[in-house]
Amino acid sequence: MLILGIDTATDQVGCALGDHDGVLAQQHLRAPRRHAEALAPQIRSLCRQAEVPLSKVGAVAVDIGPGLFTGLRVGFTTAITLASALEVPMVGITSLDLLAHAAHLTDRMIVAAVAARRGEVFAALYRPVPGGVQQTMAPAVLRPEELASELLALGEDCLLVGDGAVRHREVFAEADHLRFGGPELAHPSAAVLVGLAHARAVREEFVAPRELAPLYLRAPDAQKFKAPTP
C-alpha cells in the first residue's frame, strides 16, 4: 500500500511517500507562516520525484499535533480533503511520537518538546524499547523552566529533541544529565510518519477521515507533569 504522509505541526512543512519497500521520496521545507502556500506544491513535487501519481495513494497519514495551530489546520485539512477525494483511510500520529521514534536508538530517556506559543512547549517523555519507544508521560503544556525542573528532579540521563528544546536550549543547557539531539531531530519527519503509518496499515489500524481529530493541546486542557513509570 502506498502511503502519503503530511506533517505541518511545526514551522517545517514535510511530506513523504512510501510503501512496504520503504520511503520512496520525501521533502522537508522550513516555511514559517507559509504552510498553506508551501504544502500543495510540495505534494505535487513529491509525486513527480517518486514518479507516482497521487491516484495510487492507498492511505493518507497526518501529524495530528500538538503544534502550531495554523500549521496543523493546513496539514489536517489538506490530508482529510485528499483522503476523502481518493476515498482512502487515514492514520493519525502525534508530533511528539514522531520525534521520539526518530530518536529511539538512544539509551537515554527521550524528551520530545515542540515549541508552542506563549513561551511554552508541548512535551512528552518516552523510554526506548526494542523496536521503538514507550510513552511514559502524556503530552502536556509546560513552561520550559517547569520542564527543566521536573527533569532535574527525575535525575535520569535524557535526550531532548524537537524545536521546543532548540528554542529554549539555554534553559536546559546547565544540567549535566541532559543532552540535545542533532538538527535532524529538531522537527517531526514525514518519512518517520510514513514508516509508523505503514506498520499500522499492516494491522489495519485505520480511521475514516471524519473520525480523525487534531490534538490542539493548550494549557486549560493540559495534564500536569507526572513522573515516568518505572
Side-chain angles (χ1 to χ4, degrees), residues 75-156:
F76 200 79
T77 300
T78 301
I80 287 181
T81 299
L82 286 174
S84 298
L86 296 170
E87 298 183 335
V88 298
M90 298 188 70
V91 174
I93 299 175
T94 74
S95 55
L96 300 172
D97 283 355
L98 295 176
L99 287 167
H101 275 275
H104 77 277
L105 294 179
T106 185
D107 58 357
R108 292 169 169 260
M109 177 81 77
I110 300 169
V111 184
V114 170
R117 301 301 185 194
R118 310 174 192 172
E120 296 173 323
V121 295
F122 303 114
L125 266 60
Y126 301 79
R127 288 191 186 279
V129 296
V133 296
Q134 179 182 37
Q135 188 179 88
T136 61
M137 184 196 87
V141 181
L142 298 164
R143 296 194 310 275
E145 295 80 6
E146 290 179 308
L147 180 57
S149 177
E150 296 292 350
L151 295 177
L152 184 63
L154 184 62
E156 289 199 42

